[in-house]
Amino acid sequence: MTELGTEAMPLRVAIIGAGPSGFYAADALFKSPLSVSVDAFDMLPTPYGLLRGGVAPDHQKMKSVSAYYARVAEKNSDNFRFIGNVCVGMDVTVDELKQYYHALIFSYGAEGDKKTGLPGEALDGVHSAREFVAWYNGHPDFQHLNFDLSQKNVAIIGQGNVAIDVARILAKSKEELLASDITDTALNALSNSAVENIYIIGRRGPVQSAFTELEIREFAELSESTIHINPSDLTLNEANIEERDASNKATKNMRALEDLAQLQQDKKKKAVFVEYFKYPKSLKGVERVTSLEADVVRLEGEAFNQKAVKTGDNWSIPAGLVFRSIGYKGKELPGVPFDSEKGVIPNDKGRILDSSNQPLLGMYTSGWIKRGPSGVLGTNKPCSTETVDSLLNDVSLLPSPLLVTSDICDLLDSRGVRTVSFDDWKIIDAFEINNGKASGKPREKCVSREEIFSVLDTQKVR
Ligand code: NAP
């Protein structure tokens, strides 16, 4: 009998979600001694997931990791296909995919976000940071959104790196944003914004800040914005000293915050306030949000188990625009087990588990939908390698030969789904880079599927 993973019968794997974790999974598969062929599906007509649509447009150095992913695709072009613009669950079901592939890896990230549950969360002017990020990054499904940038005061709830990204993008000048690949629409809206005060609100203290040092330090260098940290917030109780000393991240953050709190700054057009010990309790307004109210708290209890206790003081700020930035949350895909509380696919080292905690043979997961929305881009590499190791250990158990041997693209074609290949993406990529040159930007993104198909149609006939 022909063995799976040999040239006569390559291991056929579908990756659902062609973002960083999907590309790291493909990379790990191609580095194995087996003969493998990989189809990486994405609902967008472009690859790289959050690298393109989530990483801040002014963090171009971070975006340069796309060259690594492109190399994975190009080096293995005989056995790798990017199949973009396919919505798994709608254009093709998971059960259908199972007939075409020996194994499926779900790496479609976290497409939702957590809610604060605050009274007033549904008021106009309250948005998720995820939506704002997707909008300014040119994600086609978020271009219809309107953010009222005529507001003077903006509140951001949460102090992770997403909150920092949103604050920095709001605080930057037009000239600073021009060095980024932010969309023209967002650039124009932000350049004409009336925003003056940006509050980044934390329900705990500086030692518990979820952001990282480099990101907070960037505020010291902005041309149009000052940064404000209350020095008295940086006086630590014993438990906080213990927590700081046990964490490299907290130690570095504290040093950065102390430096920033001492900056001598002239008044500028905008100001960013990093607010600690403010536990949001409501968003006020009639139809539109107008203010945010919080309980002032202090932390009490043993190190690593401190609780926020109300001091009895209230804190209130005017806020005509509010972003909740308290974490992303994964969504369920029909045909795949899901833990709706945690927003992840239940798994053991990447092997997807059924409701009795038994592995579902041939079903794997990696990235944020596997472990939750945490870590930097590089965290996805060991995460995907672990998943691929599990898959490779299962190869002898996987059912083969496949039920269907025809090309999945024929099925998608027959359903009228216009797929986008990696060669197509290279055309779009070159077009976008060229399109950015006139304004001095690294690229000007295509922001709709129609625009992408029109570029492909015109460039291909040349
Ligand atoms: P995050 O790092 O988990 O931060 C979430 C923040 O929300 C925390 O400050 C948390 O405070 C707060 N929060 C949670 N629930 C809250 C509530 N009900 N009320 C008020 N505050 C609440 O999430 P993220 O910012 O979305 O980032 C996700 C991941 O992407 C992180 O690993 C991040 O480092 C990464 N990322 C990295 C970069 C970069 O490298 N430049 C950029 C963007 C994102 P508590 O600690 O008190 O819960």
Side-chain angles (χ1 to χ4, degrees):
M1 205 177 93
T2 319
E3 243 183 86
L4 187 56
T6 57
E7 270 195 32
M9 196 194 286
L11 172 69
R12 290 187 47 70
V13 182
I15 293 176
I16 295 94
S21 58
F23 270 91
Y24 287 124
D27 192 25
L29 283 163
F30 289 123
K31 282 177 177 158
S32 83
L34 299 187
S35 184
V36 187
S37 90
V38 175
D39 285 348
F41 294 89
D42 204 286
M43 60 184 268
L44 287 180
T46 49
Y48 309 147
L50 268 195
L51 182 67
R52 179 176 165 96
V55 168
D58 57 339
H59 280 176
Q60 285 297 309
K61 207 169 155 206
M62 214 177 277
K63 294 211 185 227
S64 65
V65 71
S66 65
Y68 183 92
Y69 307 147
R71 267 201 306 281
V72 173
E74 309 239 45
K75 226 171 71 188
N76 304 289
S77 56
D78 289 346
N79 298 306
F80 175 88
R81 291 193 300 183
F82 168 66
I83 308 181
N85 199 39
V86 177
C87 187
V88 171
M90 237 163 71
D91 297 327
V92 59
T93 66
V94 168
D95 277 345
E96 284 170 330
L97 285 181
K98 284 180 188 167
Q99 301 177 5
Y100 284 79
Y101 300 93
H102 299 107
L104 308 180
I105 301 179
F106 296 90
S107 56
Y108 59 88
E111 297 171 293
D113 42 73
K114 293 181 192 151
K115 302 277 186 297
T116 61
L118 292 175
E121 190 165 20
L123 287 168
D124 285 350
V126 182
H127 306 271
S128 81
R130 184 183 61 85
E131 290 171 342
F132 187 54
V133 169
W135 171 73
Y136 63 58
N137 263 323
H139 189 304
D141 299 337
F142 293 80
Q143 295 310 300
H144 63 288
L145 296 178
N146 282 309
F147 301 94
D148 183 3
L149 296 167
S150 70
Q151 297 297 327
K152 196 169 146 188
N153 301 296
V154 182
I156 304 169
I157 303 174
Q159 294 183 326
N161 277 329
V162 171
I164 296 296
D165 282 348
V166 166
R168 192 182 61 256
I169 292 296
L170 287 167
K172 277 198 164 177
S173 67
K174 180 174 185 177
E175 290 64 38
E176 284 165 332
L177 289 174
L178 265 173
S180 78
D181 68 359
I182 197 160
T183 64
D184 252 359
T185 309
L187 177 68
N188 289 331
L190 288 159
S191 313
N192 295 317
S193 97
V195 171
E196 284 181 17
N197 302 310
I198 302 157
Y199 300 88
I200 309 173
I201 301 164
R203 58 182 177 175
R204 298 194 285 160
V207 172
Q208 292 79 26
S209 304
F211 54 71
T212 39
E213 181 210 3
L214 288 181
E215 281 66 24
I216 193 71
R217 280 196 189 275
E218 280 186 67
F219 287 104
E221 285 144 27
L222 302 188
S223 64
E224 279 189 351
S225 181
T226 49
I227 172 85
H228 302 269
I229 289 142
N230 184 349
S232 68
D233 285 346
L234 305 181
T235 307
L236 304 183
N237 64 17
E238 269 184 34
N240 278 322
I241 291 173
E242 195 179 332
E243 287 189 29
R244 178 200 62 192
D245 292 347
S247 154
N248 202 16
K249 171 180 162 179
T251 304
K252 286 185 180 170
N253 272 347
M254 281 307 294
R255 252 185 249 137
L257 290 166
E258 279 153 13
D259 291 347
L260 292 171
Q262 284 168 21
L263 279 181
Q264 299 297 321
Q265 306 173 94
D266 293 332
K267 189 168 164 34
K268 294 181 186 171
K269 203 167 147 190
K270 301 176 206 170
V272 172
F273 300 88
V274 185
E275 295 288 344
Y276 288 106
F277 305 110
K278 311 288 174 0
Y279 215 111
K281 62 177 171 186
S282 67
L283 297 163
K284 299 275 189 208
V286 181
E287 286 188 24
R288 273 207 68 83
V289 69
T290 50
S291 65
L292 176 147
E293 300 202 341
D295 283 314
V296 178
V297 295
R298 61 172 170 267
L299 295 184
E300 283 185 4
E302 287 178 11
F304 309 105
N305 199 20
Q306 298 189 81
K307 298 274 180 296
V309 177
K310 291 182 198 175
T311 63
D313 290 336
N314 290 314
W315 183 77
S316 168
I317 47 159
L321 187 57
V322 175
F323 294 105
R324 58 165 185 276
S325 184
I326 62 169
Y328 287 29
K329 195 167 183 194
K331 284 192 176 167
E332 182 170 8
L333 179 59
V336 185
F338 192 65
D339 178 336
S340 48
E341 201 159 303
K342 292 186 183 142
V344 298
I345 298 176
N347 71 92
D348 178 22
K349 297 192 169 71
R351 286 187 182 91
I352 297 182
L353 302 175
D354 66 12
S355 53
S356 328
N357 272 340
Q358 293 307 305
L360 284 168
L361 203 55
M363 301 269 281
Y364 304 86
T365 180
S366 75
W368 276 9
I369 197 63
K370 168 187 175 187
R371 64 173 200 278
S374 66
V376 292
L377 283 176
T379 316
N380 292 302
K381 192 171 186 180
C383 175
S384 293
T385 304
E386 177 188 68
T387 296
V388 168
D389 284 347
S390 297
L391 190 166
L392 295 173
N393 282 329
D394 293 348
V395 164
S396 61
L397 307 171
L398 296 176
S400 60
L402 292 164
L403 284 178
V404 181
T405 50
S406 57
D407 186 346
I408 188 90
C409 288
D410 293 341
L411 177 74
L412 291 164
D413 260 357
S414 73
R415 291 178 179 173
V417 180
R418 180 165 180 179
T419 58
V420 177
S421 67
F422 201 76
D423 281 343
D424 291 338
W425 157 245
K426 287 198 288 187
I427 292 173
I428 300 160
D429 190 30
F431 174 85
E432 288 185 343
I433 292 170
N434 195 43
N435 217 13
K437 282 187 183 147
S439 47
K441 290 166 74 179
R443 74 171 62 230
E444 189 60 56
K445 286 178 181 169
C446 297
V447 296
S448 70
R449 289 174 178 79
E450 293 70 32
E451 196 182 350
I452 283 175
F453 292 134
S454 142
V455 169
L456 289 175
D457 291 339
T458 44
Q459 306 275 318
K460 274 180 165 177
V461 290
R462 277 188 187 165

